Amino acid sequence: IRVGGDKMDEAIMNYVRRSYNLAVGERTAEQIKICLGTALPTGEDRRMEITGRDLVGGLPKTIQISEEEVREALAEPLKQIYEVIRIVLERTPAE
C-alpha cells in the first residue's frame, strides 16, 4: 500500500486548508504529525500553534490545532492502512 508519512502530511495540509483557510507547508505538516499525530485518543488535550498563509488575505496567520483535529485529518490514511492489515491477516494461515 502506498500510504505512509507523505500521504499523512498531505491529509494534514488539506485538513488545515479546508478547516481554517490556511496554507501550511510540508515541514509544518510533518511537525504537526510528529507532535500531535495519533490513531487513538491519548486522554490529553495537546495543542500546537502553527503559522501559515491565510488563503483569503494572503498574510501570515497563526492558529492552534488540537490532537483531536489531527486525528480527524489522519482518519482516511489510517483507514486505508487498517484495511490492508485486515486483508493480510484474513489471508494468513492460522499456523
Side-chain angles (χ1 to χ4, degrees):
I1 183 169
R2 297 223 175 254
V3 176
D6 291 341
K7 292 288 184 183
M8 290 179 177
D9 293 345
E10 188 177 310
I12 291 169
M13 290 188 302
N14 290 335
Y15 178 85
V16 172
R17 182 178 294 115
R18 282 191 319 270
S19 299
Y20 294 102
N21 285 326
L22 190 71
V24 295
E26 292 176 7
R27 280 186 179 174
T28 301
E30 175 80 11
Q31 281 302 112
I32 294 168
K33 179 181 69 179
I34 291 169
C35 292
L36 300 178
T38 62
L40 300 172
T42 62
E44 300 175 28
D45 184 27
R46 297 186 305 162
R47 295 182 169 276
M48 178 178 178
E49 274 194 2
I50 60 171
T51 302
R53 184 176 48 86
D54 185 3
L55 295 174
V56 177
L59 298 173
K61 180 179 173 184
T62 301
I63 62 161
Q64 277 200 353
I65 190 165
S66 69
E67 179 181 291
E68 184 177 335
E69 290 174 299
V70 176
R71 194 169 34 260
E72 183 180 329
L74 295 176
E76 186 58 35
L78 288 174
K79 183 178 173 185
Q80 292 174 359
I81 293 169
Y82 296 151
E83 185 62 26
V84 170
I85 291 170
R86 186 185 60 78
I87 291 168
V88 168
L89 290 176
E90 284 177 354
R91 293 180 184 171
T92 303
E95 46 300 321

